[in-house]
Amino acid sequence: MTLEVVLITGMSGSGKSVALRALEDAGYYCVDNLPPELLLPFVALEQQSSVERVAIAVDVRSATALPLVPAQLRELRRGNVNVRPLFLDSTTDTLVRRFSETRRRHPLSSTPAPQDGPDGQRALVEAIELERELLAELRDQAHVIDTSVIRPSQLQAYVKSLLSAPVSQLTLVFESFAFKRGIPVDADFVFDVRMLPNPHYEPGLRDLTGRDEPVRAFLEQHPDVERMRSRIAAFIDEWLEPLARDHRSYVTVAIGCTGGQHRSVYLVEQLAAWFGQKRTALKRHRELDAG
């Protein structure tokens, strides 16, 4: 029996506890804030038990031992453990707002709690940026989930869908988004489709989405839409093999339009269906799922 280990890391305030609860609901044996020094002994112990799936959260509270983790993950893989690292991230502005609203102290902050005023805000931003530096190597080796503008229920659904994909093959994640709400920080590739004809300006289509037949019919009338779809597909297809050789488990392709409702949604649906014929392809609609 091969043990599956999900390692959850990420920025403080980005939703690691929410992700861990989602995995607990999905049947994983979960451990929060495990010191990195105990990672290998803990996994060895679980391999001797009947547990098949384990989720472990490691964060900056173990800052001095974090440099041990990348080598530990390589050792676990050599020992026939299926390791799936996830990194939860958010923009600095989002993290500042969350800490300020909850009045929680950042783990790297020297002050008791986020203080009002420019000095307190500056100290909080400095703590967040230091945390980014300390976690940079772990982020580079993990699949990143941007939690900046999603609700906890969305995050739980994202985590469960990611981990339902087979471990042994590269999984494509196609995500639609609205540029007006920011580019997803978890994107490996970003495509801007705002130059395509916009159904928003058609009164009968404005309240529909790219998943609705009238919007699909409208977009399929325009050759530029199919040309964009085929060019994006060809680009992704060309780089899948090099990405797989780089031991990537997930690749996120973000497609954005103005409102994240019509053009980007349509293209995500089309691309996920196309690639889903030959590999695992997941789809997200950031703005629609938030509704």
Side-chain angles (χ1 to χ4, degrees):
M1 181 182 65
T2 301
L3 179 66
E4 178 185 342
V5 174
V6 178
L7 182 70
I8 299 177
T9 60
M11 300 296 293
S12 302
S14 62
K16 295 189 297 298
S17 60
V18 173
L20 204 62
R21 284 198 299 272
L23 292 173
E24 189 171 29
D25 292 343
Y28 285 76
Y29 178 68
C30 298
V31 178
D32 192 12
N33 194 27
L34 182 74
E37 300 93 334
L38 299 180
L39 178 58
L40 295 181
F42 174 77
V43 172
L45 181 64
E46 294 308 309
Q47 286 180 302
Q48 299 172 19
S49 69
S50 58
V51 175
E52 298 180 8
R53 300 187 298 175
V54 175
I56 301 169
V58 173
D59 59 40
V60 79
R61 286 174 289 181
S62 303
T64 57
L66 284 176
L68 300 173
V69 177
Q72 291 174 327
L73 297 184
R74 291 191 292 269
E75 184 172 342
L76 289 175
R77 291 189 176 100
R78 288 194 297 267
N80 199 33
V81 176
N82 288 327
V83 181
R84 308 180 84 167
L86 299 181
F87 188 99
L88 274 60
D89 202 354
S90 292
T91 64
T92 297
D93 287 346
T94 299
L95 295 174
V96 168
R97 187 186 72 248
R98 289 174 182 171
F99 274 101
S100 297
E101 288 174 350
T102 61
R103 306 297 295 173
R104 288 173 50 216
R105 175 184 175 182
H106 190 280
L108 300 180
S109 175
S110 59
T111 57
Q115 301 296 313
D116 297 329
D119 290 341
Q121 293 289 303
R122 183 165 53 250
L124 179 55
V125 170
E126 289 173 355
I128 291 170
E129 295 308 318
L130 175 58
E131 184 178 25
R132 287 197 192 281
E133 293 178 18
L134 293 171
L135 296 175
E137 188 173 2
L138 288 176
R139 188 185 194 279
D140 289 343
Q141 297 188 19
H143 176 70
V144 181
I145 301 176
D146 181 7
T147 70
S148 302
V149 296
I150 64 174
R151 293 176 287 107
S153 58
Q154 280 182 274
L155 175 57
Q156 291 182 346
Y158 286 178
V159 169
K160 290 177 181 178
S161 66
L162 281 171
L163 297 177
S164 67
V167 177
S168 58
Q169 58 180 278
L170 184 147
T171 297
L172 285 168
V173 182
F174 292 96
E175 179 177 9
S176 66
F177 71 95
F179 272 96
K180 66 183 181 181
R181 297 188 72 200
I183 297 174
V185 301
D186 54 6
D188 297 295
F189 300 102
V190 177
F191 294 94
D192 182 352
V193 300
R194 286 176 291 185
M195 75 293 294
L196 298 179
N198 192 350
H200 175 79
Y201 296 110
E202 301 292 324
L205 305 179
R206 182 170 299 175
D207 295 330
L208 302 179
T209 77
R211 293 184 292 201
D212 294 316
E213 178 56 36
V215 173
R216 292 198 298 268
F218 170 85
L219 292 171
E220 288 167 2
Q221 293 175 5
H222 299 275
D224 281 352
V225 177
E226 171 56 24
R227 188 153 62 99
M228 177 67 79
R229 187 207 64 79
S230 63
R231 294 291 176 86
I232 294 175
F235 178 88
I236 298 301
D237 201 42
E238 179 180 355
W239 290 101
L240 283 179
E241 185 58 32
L243 287 165
R245 287 200 304 268
D246 193 41
H247 305 291
R248 298 291 294 275
S249 298
Y250 306 96
V251 173
T252 300
V253 180
I255 300 176
C257 60
T258 306
Q261 179 179 342
H262 298 108
R263 295 163 291 181
S264 61
V265 170
Y266 169 82
L267 286 168
V268 161
E269 293 285 331
Q270 295 297 310
L271 290 164
W274 172 262
F275 282 99
Q277 297 175 34
K278 48 189 176 180
R279 62 176 61 248
T280 303
L282 307 177
K283 57 189 178 184
R284 301 178 189 162
H285 299 297
R286 191 181 74 180
E287 319 310 340
L288 299 188
D289 294 344

